[in-house]
Structures are given as structure tokens and as C-alpha cells.
Amino acid sequence: MKKRIFSGAQPTGELHIGNYLGALKNWVALQHDYESFFCIVNLHAVTLPQDPKVLKKKTLDLARIYLAAGIDPEVSTVFIQSDVSEHAELAWVLNCVSRMGELERMTQFKDKGRGNAERASVGLFTYPVLMASDILLYQTDLVPVGQDQKQHLELTRDLAERFNRDFGDTFRIPDPYIPPVGAAIMSLKEPDKKMSKSDENLNGSIFLLDDPDTVTRKIRKAVTDSGTEITFDESRPAITNLLTIYHLLTGKTADECESHFEGKGYGVFKSELAEVTVEYLRPFQQKVKEFEDGDLERILSGGAEKARSVASETLKSVYSRMGIR
Ligand code: AQP
């Protein structure tokens, strides 16, 4: 039997190259070796205010992006979180297993709540518990995510271990899969901050659907470090970030990237990076346009049915162990 992977992205904002290199690209690569569940986590999206019409549209758009990036619905299960009500049900149970103290330590809540717990939604506070439910429902072995989700994965493992200890062996304990390179693609404008969908400065992110001129302009205006060398160097985060994108998009080794740009200036480097990025995104952007809403609905409803058949078994055993029914 193949091991299982589960992962997801929120249908909020525009997906950027950080989401792609940190997560999506690895899902595509892993899907043939694992039994794979890829979810569009729309219940997570509403932890922050969303326009209902936009959310609905973005949910289908994200399915299109998964497929255009190379997720094969014949191989992987692709579905929308809210179509499988077991996610919300298990989240309630795990809310009762979680401790206030451990959720208060989650840095994403501090970042996204902007330090204002009084005004943040309770859903934002319990976001990591819903994420734990997503993962544990599928008896997941491996969770391919970016670096920003590492702390949530640790919480997921803690909750599963606590539940198993208190109620008997129920959940498989998942491992994170955080890629050695690309797990934290940084903002082009503030290289000490991760590239983010919700960044108000749109020039900090390369969105997967940005047109060639926009990609080129953003890269040309990306901040650089002092000095002239184009090398991987932690003390020069802006150039390291741009070179990491080049490295991952071209598939050249780190050494090949450095020697390719030896003696060349930032101008040449940025033009080449822009060209590589535009050409990488071109077939993907073409493919995104090919999926009709009807095809997507069919894929998503088949995916939900398959996901439900696994999720309902897990929830049944959780309820039975807790004496709920
Ligand atoms: N900058 C990044 N570099 C590498 N991986 C990243 N991910 C997010 N940002 C980067 C990974 O993308 C997957 C899907 O992310 P999400 O939709 O759950 O959103 P997020 O993690 O909250 O980050 P975003 O996309 O920047 O959105 P906002 O602005 O709303 O926070 C995850 O595996 C994530 O690790």
C-alpha cells in the first residue's frame, strides 16, 4: 500500500511563486509515489474577512491552478474542504483536545491577528486545529508544506499523540515534508519577510498569473544587497532569494547557478531571471485557461466523494472512542 500525503492552499488572493515552489511543485512531484489528497481549504479562508462572491470564484480558480500546475485528478484526489463536513466536525473534537496555551504560542495567529487578539476572529485562533483535522482525517503520512507551516505541523503531531494516549490508537502521526530549498521564498521588496498573498505591496510577490511585463517589472525593481556578487550567501538575503528562484525554475545546481553569473552584474542577472520566470509560467498560464467550470465541478465532486469515504471512517472511530455515538 502506498503511503498518504495531504496538503492544501487557501483560495485567498492570488497564488504566488512562493506557494508554487514551497508547496505545489512538490505535490506534483510526489503524487505518483503516494496516495494523494489535495484540498482547497475554503473554511480556512473565512478566518479572515472575505467577499463571498470573490471567495466562491477563487475556490474554482484554485482548482484550475492545481490542475494546470500538474496535479492529475486521475491519480490524486482534489476536493473542496467544505464539501467534506467531517473536517469541521473533527475540528470541534480537536478544539476540545487542544490547550489555549499551545494555540497562543502559534506565530501565524500573532502575525495575521496583527497582535490585536481583541478584534481577531476565534476561527483565526483555532485555524491550526482545523488544519490538524484536515491532515489527521486522512491518516496522512506526509504533509508537503512551506516553512511557515512547520509550527502547525508540530501542533498536529502533538494533538494526534495526545488523542491516541487518552483514547487509544486512532491517528497516524504525520511527518512534515519541507523542501530543503524553496520552503521560504521571500518578498522581492522586503527579503526578511516571506512572499505572501496578503502582502499589501503587490510588487513583493510574483503571482502565478502575472503577465510577462509585470513579472519583468517586478524582478527589475526587486531590492538587492550591497556588493556585486551573485552567490548564495545568507548574509545577502535579497540576492540569495532571487538566485533561489532561478535555481528552482531552471533546475541547475547551486554551483552551476553561481558560476553562470560569475562576473556578471545585477542587471544581467535580473534580465535572465525575468526571462526564465516568464517562460516557466507561460505554459502554465495557457493551461489554466483550458479548464471549463463543468469539468472542474465533476472533478471536485468525484474528489469530495472519495475524500468523504476516508474521512468518515476516521471520524466514526474518533466518535466511538470518545463515547460520542
Ligand atoms: N513564501 C513562501 N515560500 C514558500 N512556501 C510558501 N507557502 C506560503 N508562502 C510561501 C506555502 O504555500 C502553501 C499554501 O499556502 P496557504 O494558501 O495556506 O497560505 P499561507 O501559508 O497562509 O501563505 P500565503 O500564501 O502567503 O497567504 P497569506 O498571505 O494569506 O499568509 C503552504 O504549504 C505554505 O507553507
Side-chain angles (χ1 to χ4, degrees), residues 266-283:
Y266 287 166
V268 172
F269 170 48
K270 283 181 166 182
S271 315
E272 278 201 40
L273 175 60
E275 207 174 303
V276 160
T277 309
V278 165
E279 290 314 316
Y280 193 95
L281 292 179
R282 197 186 296 282

Side-chain angles (χ1 to χ4, degrees), residues 10 16 18-19 112 146 148-149 183 185 194-198:
Q10 301 184 70
H16 49 73
N19 298 128
K112 291 196 172 174
D148 62 330
Q149 296 301 329
I185 298 295
K194 76 164 191 139
M195 192 176 281
S196 173
K197 292 195 216 101
S198 55

Side-chain angles (χ1 to χ4, degrees), residues 4-24:
R4 279 205 187 130
I5 58 178
F6 174 94
S7 201
Q10 301 184 70
T12 49
E14 301 291 332
L15 245 68
H16 49 73
I17 206 148
N19 298 128
Y20 178 75
L21 295 174
L24 214 45

Side-chain angles (χ1 to χ4, degrees), residues 34 59 105 185 217 267 302:
Y34 289 82
T59 301
R105 286 193 289 277
I185 298 295
R217 179 179 48 76

Side-chain angles (χ1 to χ4, degrees), residues 73-88:
E74 300 289 325
V75 173
S76 302
T77 304
V78 180
F79 67 104
I80 298 173
Q81 187 183 28
S82 60
D83 285 348
V84 182
S85 59
E86 282 81 358
H87 288 250

Side-chain angles (χ1 to χ4, degrees), residues 21 29 36 43 48 59 93 97 99 101 120 128-130 150 152 188 218 269 272 287 296 308 314-315:
L21 295 174
S36 308
L43 297 177
L48 291 172
T59 301
V93 169
V97 172
R99 309 286 180 254
V129 181
L130 179 59
K150 185 168 182 270
H152 292 167
L188 302 188
K218 285 180 177 177
F269 170 48
E272 278 201 40
K287 236 171 153 212
L296 293 176
R308 211 175 292 123
T314 305
L315 189 68

